[in-house]
Amino acid sequence: MIKISIPTPDITITKRKQNPKENEPEIKDIYGFIDFHLIPRDKGGIFLFFNNKDELLFIGKARKLRQRIKKHFEDTVSPIKRHRDEVYKIDICLVEDPMEREIYETYIINKLQSKYNVEKVFYK
């Protein structure tokens, strides 16, 4: 028997409304997120998009996390393109090994029954 557990997130960013103080520049947000700079540019891993009720909306994997996550909010072909406003929290787990990323992605899709992942689904 293989034992797999969901990894603890290394980074979590949440949507927030920005209220800059006087004379402070406003940071341009992407669908309410302003902390993309916390996500490493050159690290691989998995990312999980949650709504404000902490329900898993989508999980993905990437060799370069920041670039891939931002693409989900800018692309016209992203599986979450109609649901971007639902995303409230993004959990990021740094996982360098491609095989481990694949295993975690498939496991989490089915364990937490991700709402918008359509591939690798065994629970339907």
Side-chain angles (χ1 to χ4, degrees):
M1 177 185 287
I2 299 171
K3 294 278 187 190
I4 303 171
S5 60
I6 298 171
T8 305
D10 295 296
I11 303 157
T12 298
I13 61 174
T14 55
K15 185 181 284 191
R16 60 181 164 173
K17 301 290 182 210
Q18 187 183 14
N19 298 319
K21 296 177 183 169
E22 197 174 314
N23 298 327
E24 220 178 75
E26 184 172 341
I27 299 172
K28 185 173 175 1
D29 70 87
I30 300 173
Y31 284 88
F33 292 95
I34 61 171
D35 292 328
F36 285 108
H37 66 279
L38 298 175
I39 305 167
R41 291 176 190 257
D42 59 344
K43 297 283 184 189
I46 57 173
F47 53 91
L48 298 86
F49 294 157
F50 292 93
N51 64 14
N52 59 359
K53 296 176 187 163
D54 220 26
E55 299 167 326
L56 181 61
L57 300 175
F58 185 80
I59 175 172
K61 63 184 180 313
R63 286 183 304 124
K64 296 185 178 186
L65 283 164
R66 187 188 311 181
Q67 179 181 335
R68 185 67 189 115
I69 292 169
K70 286 177 89 173
K71 223 172 181 54
H72 275 289
F73 291 97
E74 298 165 348
D75 243 2
T76 57
V77 295
S78 171
I80 65 155
K81 68 180 175 190
R82 290 189 210 104
H83 312 286
R84 291 172 177 148
D85 288 328
E86 278 185 71
V87 179
Y88 177 77
K89 178 177 83 169
I90 303 170
D91 280 348
I92 296 109
C93 303
L94 303 177
V95 181
E96 285 299 322
D97 185 274
M99 186 173 61
E100 287 181 24
R101 290 194 296 260
E102 188 72 38
I103 291 168
Y104 279 133
E105 180 188 39
T106 304
Y107 177 74
I108 295 169
I109 285 171
N110 291 284
K111 182 73 172 174
L112 300 182
Q113 297 189 357
S114 173
K115 195 171 179 180
Y116 300 124
N117 285 90
V118 292
E119 295 180 7
K120 304 177 187 176
V121 174
F122 301 118
Y123 61 85
K124 289 188 178 184

